Amino acid sequence: MRKIVINNVGLVFVLLFVVTGLKAQSQVTLEKVVNEWSFHSPSAEKIRLAYDNIALAHENYLKGFLPSIAFNINPVSFNHSLRLMQSPTDGSYSYVNDYSNTSNAGLSIQQKVGITGGVFSVNSNLSVLTEFSTRRNSFNATPLSLSYSQQLLGGYYLYKKLKKIEQTKTLNAARQYCSDMADIQIKALNAFLNLFMADITRKLAMRNIAISDTLLMAGKALLNNGHFTEYEFKQVELQANNNRYVYETSQKDYQLLFRELWALLGKKEPLDSLDVVVPDFSLPLTIDYETVVKYAQKNNPFALSQEARRLEAEQTLYSAKLANRFNGNISVSYGLNQYAEHFSDAYRKPDYSQGVMIGFQIPVFQWGINRNKLQMAKNNYRNTMLELEEQETSYANDLLDKVDSYNHGVKLYFLSNRSYQLAQEQYQILSAKFKYGKVSIYEITSAQKDLYEALKKYYSTMQTVWNQYFMLRKMTLYDFIHQSELMHMFHLQ
């Protein structure tokens, strides 16, 4: 037989639990919502897809340094028209009937050279010209062509910077994934706690309605016996109406918040088949600040994002300096080439072709424009560094505040939990004494107000301490309950 654990909530609550339990097929617990169902929500799926895209982009970056092979073919380039041509002998112009087709095909292999920032390529091409008016073919073959080009200065430095930036962003992507997932868990946590508050409020109101009905009967008897005034009896009736109002409001909130939670989790189960379970307090009693700082510096994406911004600022400044100094480009090519009217002759005894092109960029005089651009780049770099310092200081203070708030919140939680239990007991004791006329209706009313106030404090401290814990968990990417990093728990390492 199913066991029922009776908390200090009264007989009516127990009966309500049993009746609703007959319909319940499963339970809604904080553990299931936060650590299981939230990972299958639509929001979590979007985060996974975004992370997969980042991983694929990094894979493309790495593969960009592997040789790429491309085959190009243009089988038809037909033309039949009159063209204005100039005679090479006397310079006169005349219209010539162009009735031809050009076809070409080529194979190219390209390789980036990271340490120099250059590009090395190997090409092979064949072009065929068919002249229909003379019924003649001509072939232009390039069996082999080698070429290399690069920026004269700064290529290696930029390569190192861009590589470091890419590595930093990719490493940070896994941490950002864990941080985003922790955000989803925080949203699920708050949705569950809001639902729990509505649920516990409606159950408390239901119990108080049963007590109020008993008080109404006792008050009616006291009124008939002359031990109660009409005003006091109406106070009892007003209290009963207030309890019903609280119940109806919390019942409506419960249904609304249940739908919101289900929408967040992307679940389709019917709402009346589940029951909300009071969350157990399984959090650490205290969290050490040094431990938080240790794992925050190691795991938090903030640190790596700051490093990425610093590297990007340095790269931008260097590029600005490079653009305002002496620089150039160099291109070297070597290949084989042949022209023939027959295909077989196009690959016989090819001629050699070489080419070297060196271009220089030398800023001479631009009325100080380049100097101003360089100074602007330096100012932007300095501004970025100042922003990073401010953000790091603010981040360290935020860590300390959240640790203090959590440790303080745990103490308040236990105090408010005990106050809520005492308020329930006090209300029950006074309600029992009221039947015998030993307490006034004003004491009952005051006790009920204290009960609802204690419930609000209990919920508020519960929500605060759970939120503070999960915020620290997100900032450190470390689970203090299981003493494990989220990177391991989410199977990213």
Side-chain angles (χ1 to χ4, degrees):
M1 180 180 291
R2 179 176 173 178
K3 295 183 179 179
I4 300 177
V5 180
I6 303 178
N7 293 327
N8 199 4
V9 293
L11 180 59
V12 175
F13 174 75
V14 174
L15 294 176
L16 178 65
F17 181 85
V18 172
V19 172
T20 56
L22 295 176
K23 295 182 179 180
Q25 298 175 358
S26 60
Q27 295 178 326
V28 180
T29 65
L30 186 146
E31 177 68 23
K32 284 183 179 179
V33 169
V34 174
N35 293 326
E36 182 180 341
W37 293 344
S38 65
F39 291 115
H40 302 286
S41 66
S43 298
E45 181 63 21
K46 289 190 291 185
I47 291 172
R48 275 189 287 270
L49 292 174
Y51 177 72
D52 287 344
N53 284 343
I54 294 175
L56 291 172
H58 178 65
E59 185 178 344
N60 287 345
Y61 170 79
L62 296 178
K63 289 182 177 180
F65 290 95
L66 298 176
S68 63
I69 302 175
F71 178 73
N72 303 307
I73 183 171
N74 184 12
V76 178
S77 180
F78 176 77
N79 183 60
H80 189 188
S81 63
L82 294 175
R83 288 191 178 186
L84 183 63
M85 307 291 290
Q86 186 178 23
S87 172
T89 56
D90 57 5
S92 61
Y93 287 90
S94 62
Y95 284 94
V96 177
N97 183 25
D98 185 0
Y99 186 24
S100 65
N101 179 70
T102 302
S103 303
N104 57 72
L107 181 69
S108 64
I109 302 175
Q110 192 175 78
Q111 171 71 63
K112 290 182 180 179
V113 183
I115 58 175
T116 62
V119 178
F120 176 77
S121 61
V122 180
N123 300 279
S124 180
N125 297 283
L126 174 65
S127 178
V128 182
L129 175 61
T130 302
E131 299 177 80
F132 296 106
S133 56
T134 60
R135 297 183 180 181
R136 186 180 65 174
N137 293 327
S138 56
F139 298 86
N140 185 7
T142 305
L144 179 66
S145 174
L146 307 176
S147 64
Y148 176 78
S149 62
Q150 73 163 73
Q151 187 173 282
L152 198 59
L153 301 175
Y156 178 59
Y157 179 86
L158 291 175
Y159 162 74
K160 288 196 304 180
K161 281 295 179 186
L162 292 174
K163 182 180 180 181
K164 183 64 176 177
I165 291 171
E166 179 65 23
Q167 290 174 341
T168 303
K169 288 184 174 180
T170 303
L171 180 60
N172 198 42
R175 299 179 181 182
Q176 189 61 50
Y177 169 83
C178 294
S179 180
D180 292 341
M181 282 297 189
D183 258 336
I184 297 297
Q185 289 183 297
I186 292 174
K187 292 179 181 178
L189 168 71
N190 283 303
F192 172 84
L193 291 178
N194 290 337
L195 176 64
F196 167 72
M197 176 60 178
D199 184 57
I200 196 174
T201 301
R202 71 178 183 134
K203 290 176 180 177
L204 177 62
M206 178 66 75
R207 188 194 67 176
N208 288 342
I209 288 173
I211 295 176
S212 296
D213 291 342
T214 304
L215 295 180
L216 273 174
M217 291 187 291
K220 187 68 173 177
L222 292 172
L223 178 64
N224 293 334
N225 294 331
H227 299 294
F228 226 32
T229 66
E230 186 73 22
Y231 176 79
E232 289 175 319
F233 179 75
K234 289 188 179 299
Q235 280 293 110
V236 176
E237 188 176 3
L238 177 61
Q239 180 175 304
N241 284 341
N242 289 338
N243 286 326
R244 287 185 172 84
Y245 180 86
V246 171
Y247 172 77
E248 293 297 334
T249 303
S250 58
Q251 177 68 16
K252 180 65 175 177
D253 292 341
Y254 173 81
Q255 295 172 351
L256 174 63
L257 293 169
F258 219 146
R259 288 194 294 269
E260 290 181 356
L261 175 62
W262 248 225
L264 175 65
L265 299 176
K267 298 184 73 63
K268 305 298 182 183
E269 289 86 347
L271 301 183
D272 59 354
S273 64
L274 300 170
D275 183 57
V276 181
V277 178
V278 179
D280 295 327
F281 188 86
S282 57
L283 302 180
L285 298 181
T286 58
I287 292 180
D288 181 58
Y289 175 70
E290 297 300 327
T291 303
V292 171
V293 172
K294 170 187 173 183
Y295 285 105
Q297 292 177 344
K298 177 183 178 183
N299 296 330
N300 194 283
F302 172 80
L304 274 182
S305 64
Q306 295 289 88
E307 177 64 18
R309 286 188 61 190
R310 186 176 290 107
L311 291 171
E312 287 175 343
E314 292 175 356
Q315 187 259 339
T316 301
L317 178 61
Y318 181 79
S319 297
K321 291 180 178 179
L322 207 60
N324 288 276
R325 295 177 180 174
F326 166 82
N327 205 345
N329 293 287
I330 181 172
S331 177
V332 179
S333 64
Y334 174 84
L336 304 174
N337 183 261
Q338 182 58 279
Y339 171 82
E341 294 185 358
H342 297 89
F343 175 76
S344 58
D345 296 333
Y347 287 90
R348 292 178 181 175
K349 298 181 180 180
D351 295 328
Y352 296 101
S353 63
Q354 299 108 8
V356 177
M357 183 179 71
I358 301 177
F360 297 102
Q361 175 187 341
I362 307 174
V364 179
F365 184 72
Q366 294 180 329
W367 303 95
I369 293 177
N370 284 344
R371 183 176 65 253
N372 291 341
K373 287 183 178 179
L374 180 58
Q375 185 59 45
M376 290 167 62
K378 290 180 179 179
N379 292 341
N380 290 335
Y381 173 78
R382 178 57 181 163
N383 183 58
T384 301
M385 294 299 105
L386 291 174
E387 286 182 0
L388 294 177
E389 291 176 6
E390 289 178 352
Q391 291 172 0
E392 288 169 358
T393 302
S394 176
Y395 178 73
N397 291 335
D398 191 34
L399 277 179
L400 180 59
D401 291 342
K402 282 189 167 47
V403 172
D404 289 342
S405 297
Y406 173 80
N407 291 333
H408 180 65
V410 171
K411 298 176 183 178
L412 295 182
Y413 168 78
F414 285 109
L415 291 173
S416 64
N417 186 28
R418 180 56 181 162
S419 296
Y420 178 51
Q421 293 175 356
L422 291 173
Q424 293 180 81
E425 294 170 3
Q426 283 290 92
Y427 185 64
Q428 291 175 356
I429 292 171
L430 290 177
S431 298
K433 288 184 177 181
F434 178 80
K435 301 175 185 178
Y436 306 103
K438 294 183 179 181
V439 296
S440 68
I441 184 59
Y442 307 108
E443 291 176 280
I444 292 291
T445 303
S446 177
Q448 183 171 285
K449 289 180 180 178
D450 292 342
L451 175 59
Y452 283 118
E453 187 65 27
L455 173 61
K456 290 179 181 179
K457 289 182 180 179
Y458 167 62
Y459 168 73
S460 176
T461 54
M462 175 189 290
Q463 187 177 45
T464 299
V465 74
W466 276 98
N467 268 280
Q468 291 292 345
Y469 170 77
F470 271 89
M471 283 301 300
L472 287 172
R473 184 174 178 268
K474 174 191 172 184
M475 297 177 75
T476 58
L477 300 186
Y478 182 78
D479 192 299
F480 297 92
I481 297 176
H482 301 94
Q483 297 184 355
S484 175
E485 296 182 25
L486 299 190
M487 294 278 285
H488 299 297
M489 296 180 68
F490 295 164
H491 307 293
L492 293 181
Q493 284 186 348

